Amino acid sequence: MILELDCGNSFIKWRIVRSAFATLVVGGVVDSDQALVTAIKALAVPPERCRLVSVRSEEETASLCALLAQCFGLEVMVAQPAREVGGVRNGYEDYQRLGLDRWLAVLGGYHLAKGACLVMDFGTAAKADFVAADGEHLGGFICPGMPLMRSQLRTHTRRIRYDDASAERALSSMAPGRSTVEAVERGCVHMLQGFVGSQLAHAKALWGNDFVVLLTGGDAPLVQEAAPSALVVPDLVFVGLALACPLD
């Protein structure tokens, strides 16, 4: 049994897979290292090995690894920047500067597409990366995602005030908003869908129609309408993590 972790700035996404076929056993999302320990302790069978990707500081990542070693005796394999993995060549001029979450999503996307692909990740930021058929990562684009757009409007516009429950209800339709919350939430979705459209146009200019589109991230369902043929892979980073940190 392998424990896989995707450590973001606010949350830790975790899952347990059977090592032979990477079959998902159980998983979840927690908001702290201690909550993760509690979740793992509740498992009937503890994990034997662990691999993780982290966008946290080196100190925070090391602290989590030490905690897992102390509580479960786990030696953690941590994903690192690389020039090439799994036939994919890092496209950044300084390969160590490419965010690990993007890098692993690129690895996972190329592995699943088996050729040219456009990988788009919709979380705190919206990210798009292009990988050619020969595995050359051509770079990508980053812009604010739903959480950042929403936060900026709430922070810098005095009259925009609403709670998360209202935001969720506002997205039950994409008609023009008849309240501030509807106008903001639906406007932000249109921004993301426009981002998707521009990325698809760029990919078509590169490869015609000979490419695969993959969507991942918590807000990927919001943009599916703009990319109806895309594959939605919620655990795409974990697919890349298995390639970057093989344990079998």
Side-chain angles (χ1 to χ4, degrees):
M1 305 283 269
I2 296 175
L3 171 64
E4 297 183 327
L5 304 173
D6 180 0
C7 305
N9 291 306
S10 302
F11 299 98
I12 300 173
K13 186 175 182 180
W14 67 276
R15 71 178 194 173
I16 299 286
V17 295
R18 298 188 195 281
S19 57
F21 304 104
T23 305
L24 178 64
V25 177
V26 66
V29 178
V30 294
D31 60 3
S32 69
D33 294 0
Q34 196 55 54
L36 174 65
V37 169
T38 300
I40 297 171
K41 284 183 175 178
L43 299 175
V45 180
E48 301 158 332
R49 292 174 288 179
C50 178
R51 57 191 169 207
L52 70 77
V53 56
S54 175
V55 297
R56 298 175 167 189
S57 69
E58 291 184 9
E59 294 76 11
E60 290 173 310
T61 302
S63 176
L64 175 58
C65 291
L67 183 62
L68 293 172
Q70 175 187 340
C71 295
F72 306 105
L74 290 171
E75 183 176 344
V76 182
M77 180 178 285
V78 181
Q80 300 294 333
R83 293 188 184 278
E84 182 172 352
V85 172
V88 180
R89 295 178 297 284
N90 193 315
Y92 261 30
E93 294 177 0
D94 179 355
Y95 75 93
Q96 298 186 71
R97 300 291 294 176
L98 177 62
L100 280 170
D101 53 344
R102 281 178 66 197
W103 175 234
L104 295 189
V106 162
L107 295 181
Y110 185 74
H111 174 76
L112 296 176
K114 302 288 192 290
C117 59
L118 166 59
V119 179
M120 290 184 280
D121 184 348
F122 295 92
T124 303
K127 296 162 282 190
D129 282 281
F130 299 79
V131 189
D134 64 356
E136 185 71 28
H137 172 229
L138 304 179
F141 300 96
I142 303 173
C143 73
M146 280 291 287
L148 283 177
M149 287 192 285
R150 181 187 294 128
S151 174
Q152 287 298 301
L153 284 168
R154 286 178 175 177
T155 301
H156 296 289
T157 307
R158 291 183 180 181
R159 292 181 179 272
I160 295 180
R161 295 289 185 272
Y162 56 85
D163 58 26
D164 292 341
S166 299
E168 187 173 345
R169 289 193 298 271
L171 293 177
S172 61
S173 166
M174 285 304 294
R178 296 174 66 86
S179 66
T180 298
V181 61
E182 290 178 353
V184 169
E185 291 296 311
R186 296 172 191 178
C188 289
V189 171
H190 279 297
M191 291 281 284
L192 289 186
Q193 291 178 340
F195 177 77
V196 171
S198 68
Q199 305 314 300
L200 291 172
H202 191 85
K204 288 180 180 179
L206 288 170
W207 305 310
N209 293 314
D210 192 15
F211 65 96
V212 175
V213 182
L214 300 101
L215 303 179
T216 192
D219 287 326
L222 297 178
V223 300
Q224 278 184 267
E225 182 180 328
S229 63
L231 300 176
V232 180
V233 188
D235 290 335
L236 188 59
V237 167
F238 284 136
V239 176
L241 180 61
L243 294 168
C245 299
L247 291 174
D248 294 329

